Amino acid sequence: MMKNKIAKWYQQSGSDGDVVISTRVRLARNLSDVPFPAGLGGERKNEVPKKVRAALKDSSKADDFDFLEMSNMEARDALSMVERHLISPEFSRCNEGSALVLKKDESVSIMINEEDHLRIQVMRPGLDLDDAYKIADEIDTELDKRLGFAFDERLGYLTQCPTNLGTGMRASIMLHLPALHERGAIQQMANTVSKLGLTIRGLYGEGSKPEGAIYQLSNQVTLGISEQAAIENLKGIAAQIIREERTGREQLRKNPRFEDMIWRSLGLLQTARLLSHDEFMTLISNLRVGVALGIVKGVGLDTISGLICDVQPATIMAANRRDMEPSERDVERAKMVRSRLSGTSPQ
Amino acid sequence: MMKNKIAKWYQQSGSDGDVVISTRVRLARNLSDVPFPAGLGGERKNEVPKKVRAALKDSSKADDFDFLEMSNMEARDALSMVERHLISPEFSRCNEGSALVLKKDESVSIMINEEDHLRIQVMRPGLDLDDAYKIADEIDTELDKRLGFAFDERLGYLTQCPTNLGTGMRASIMLHLPALHERGAIQQMANTVSKLGLTIRGLYGEGSKPEGAIYQLSNQVTLGISEQAAIENLKGIAAQIIREERTGREQLRKNPRFEDMIWRSLGLLQTARLLSHDEFMTLISNLRVGVALGIVKGVGLDTISGLICDVQPATIMAANRRDMEPSERDVERAKMVRSRLSGTSPQ
């Protein structure tokens, strides 16, 4: 699965790619005729993936998807999927009865028997909330027809956790905010957006640290609001953050040390023989803003997104099909980075 | 003078170039019929350069030399000559009556009216004490014939300072000792060699700090010893230090962090937009040992020696024919380094 040649969704760049890395929409859904996964065991739990698989087989797009049983998955492959945001950390530890439907380009994943029966997730490069929602909505509609999702006229979609009740939708965009991060402006921004029903946090959700100045902005409110209204709200706040980040970058650019730092980061990425993931994230963040500002030419944001994805610890091990010591991964990571950035002139 | 196209002596590498950057021999000489410079003023002081110039004009090699009056020299040009070891710091502040005879490839310089009437200096790439002494001796013999040097049958050559009495010779080699430096072995080595009549110190002599792990090893004793014996003594100790440094490098090489550091140094040198002289020396020292060990290919020790010489603060200003702020020099230094290392692959 790691070796197939189908281009991944993240190997493209999208709208507002200078600041927005990617967009994600996920819908929480439950079968109306089966209890929530938390209360399920054995036979009844296994029913859910069986039903979903059958529903998908009828679909015209069945060939685009792989159906993966979590109990058959190597731990490193599951962790790699967490790193690539295809599944949740909790789901990576799920076993019997849990399964994953994964589109071959990895832009769509459906976790079966996570907290809810289904978690339909769609990812798109750049800022693309409308398309991401549209694709998720189509999958939702088609599966609903065949499976019948639990829905209450007054509340909306029923979910295990009340925070998802209503739309069951979590829309988020992954933002690269080096200028705002540098200026220490993120905490203040987090306070502001929380009053507007949004949350901003590190790369791997709540409590995770912002590696490489990458943050997630997502909606929190699912009840008493339409999907479209939630998305418009998120779009509006995102536009403002993007504007502020761009202004901040133009400010940073006035300092010769900023350009120096960008080029040095490229130099280190192109030559290092040992590269920890933390250092990689710091350096690639510097390079990314340099590419976005047109300072460094000859390397694309798509190459950078691909690297950010592929050099994560478990993803390196998954690609090598074996577990590796951190020091061995550091060697492998440095090798991958050198190879993918080898065409970029340091001049 | 800075712009002429004659290749400089240091743009070559020499014997044992992995450890020995260059060899220098200087002879202190005084005219027998003129008092030492310290006691000279006005007319009588001016006599000395006039006599030397006349003596040189008769020589068959006169066309190889420039004759420069220190009173006509820009401060930055004089400081650049200090940086390139062509003149002493004291001499750079000399004015009326002081002059410099400089071979066009900069391998020979004769300071006139420094502490002594003449300081004849010969430099060679790598370890080359025999040739350096031979060349200095030939110049000495030819000038002695025409000028008549102060010589005492019992003491030897007479000099202003008693520490130079006898041979008047100071032979030194410039050593790159990153492994011994890293191991903190230099102080112990300095104690040992001082018992053997030698001294080891930083790049710019007594009290200067060892920039880029470059050290000078030189003889101290000039009285009661022949030039040949002093040189043989220096050669013997040098051979031992070179051996120890090479062993130390092989040890360092076993640590993957060492190779990583070498490549990173190349990366920073190839990309930095601002480069202080201190940082440059640290990085070029790392690169130099990498080249010497064959880890980094495609860059020569001659290129490195050229850079070490040319990116020094006053030498940058001399090449640009104007005074510059440190920050401006850092930009210019980074530009020169990038340009000269641009052909070296970071792979």
Side-chain angles (χ1 to χ4, degrees), chain A residues 46-216:
Chain A
N46 284 325
E47 249 178 56
V48 186
K50 270 182 206 153
K51 286 187 177 198
V52 176
R53 190 166 200 170
L56 277 170
K57 265 198 182 147
D58 295 346
S59 150
S60 59
K61 291 168 190 158
D63 286 351
D64 295 347
F65 292 90
D66 289 311
F67 191 93
L68 308 162
E69 286 178 32
M70 292 307 288
S71 55
N72 288 339
M73 199 180 284
E74 293 274 2
R76 61 176 173 265
D77 290 332
L79 283 173
S80 166
M81 288 192 178
V82 174
E83 290 176 345
R84 289 178 290 147
H85 301 274
L86 297 172
I87 63 174
S88 63
E90 296 72 24
F91 193 68
S92 73
R93 293 185 288 271
C94 288
N95 216 309
E96 210 47 45
S98 294
L100 179 71
V101 175
L102 184 61
K103 196 170 176 190
K104 292 190 202 294
D105 73 353
E106 297 185 0
S107 66
V108 177
S109 62
I110 306 173
M111 288 184 279
I112 305 173
N113 280 332
E114 204 242 21
E115 190 180 274
D116 296 294
H117 289 147
L118 279 90
R119 287 279 176 100
I120 303 164
Q121 178 183 274
V122 175
M123 292 201 276
R124 301 279 304 158
L127 182 61
D128 196 5
L129 283 159
D130 292 331
D131 278 357
Y133 176 68
K134 188 167 160 268
I135 296 165
D137 186 44
E138 282 167 7
I139 296 168
D140 176 37
T141 305
E142 188 160 349
L143 288 177
D144 194 12
K145 250 186 275 173
R146 297 164 203 259
L147 296 169
F149 291 147
F151 186 81
D152 177 277
E153 279 305 326
R154 200 170 50 89
L155 293 171
Y157 288 100
L158 301 178
T159 56
Q160 161 78 16
C161 178
T163 57
N164 292 313
L165 215 56
T167 60
M169 183 187 80
R170 189 79 71 224
S172 66
I173 57 179
M174 202 179 279
L175 295 156
H176 185 219
L177 303 177
L180 295 172
H181 177 89
E182 168 76 17
R183 194 202 288 167
I186 305 286
Q187 190 50 54
Q188 158 99 56
M189 184 168 288
N191 296 342
T192 308
V193 303
S194 81
K195 289 174 196 148
L196 301 164
L198 300 181
T199 182
I200 191 162
R201 42 195 183 183
L203 188 47
Y204 291 95
E206 212 155 356
S208 71
K209 61 175 179 173
E211 291 178 315
I214 298 176
Y215 291 89
Q216 256 187 122

